Amino acid sequence: MSTKRNDPCHCGSQNKYKNCCWSKDEAARTVASQEQAAARSEAAKAEAAAAPPSTTKRPVKTTGVAPKAHNQGPAKQNVRRKV
Ligand SMILES: [Zn+2]
C-alpha cells in the first residue's frame, strides 16, 4: 500500500513503480473514487426524493373546496362576454 513512485514496483518487474504499475494503479484508484462519489450522489438523490425539502412544496390545506362553496352561481352572471 505504501509503494512510492521511485521504489521498485510491487509486481517484481524491477522497474520503478512510477514506470510500471503506477499509472495502472492510479487509474484503478480514480475509478474507485469516482464510483464511490457516484454512489454517494445516488444515495443523496434517493434521500432527497424520499424527504423533499419543505421549501419546494408547501402543504396547502384543502385548496378548491372552501372558496368554491362561497362563489357558486351568482359570480358567473357578472362576467361579461364579448359579443
Ligand atoms: Zn509493476
Side-chain angles (χ1 to χ4, degrees):
M1 187 82 190
S2 60
T3 307
K4 294 197 175 61
R5 284 191 287 177
N6 286 321
D7 287 348
C9 186
H10 55 69
C11 74
S13 68
Q14 304 298 316
N15 292 321
K16 285 185 178 181
Y17 180 40
K18 66 178 180 182
N19 292 327
C20 187
C21 296
W22 164 262
S23 57
K24 199 169 63 186
D25 289 355
E26 187 65 17
R29 266 195 296 272
T30 303
V31 169
S33 65
Q34 280 175 349
E35 281 175 358
Q36 280 181 356
R40 270 198 298 271
S41 70
E42 284 298 317
K45 269 188 225 166
E47 256 182 49
S54 57
T55 51
T56 52
K57 200 173 183 181
R58 289 181 188 173
V60 184
K61 52 178 180 180
T62 63
T63 347
V65 178
K68 216 172 187 180
H70 287 286
N71 296 333
Q72 262 179 351
K76 263 188 183 176
Q77 292 172 1
N78 293 336
V79 177
R80 281 191 186 177
R81 286 188 184 175
K82 287 181 183 175
V83 180

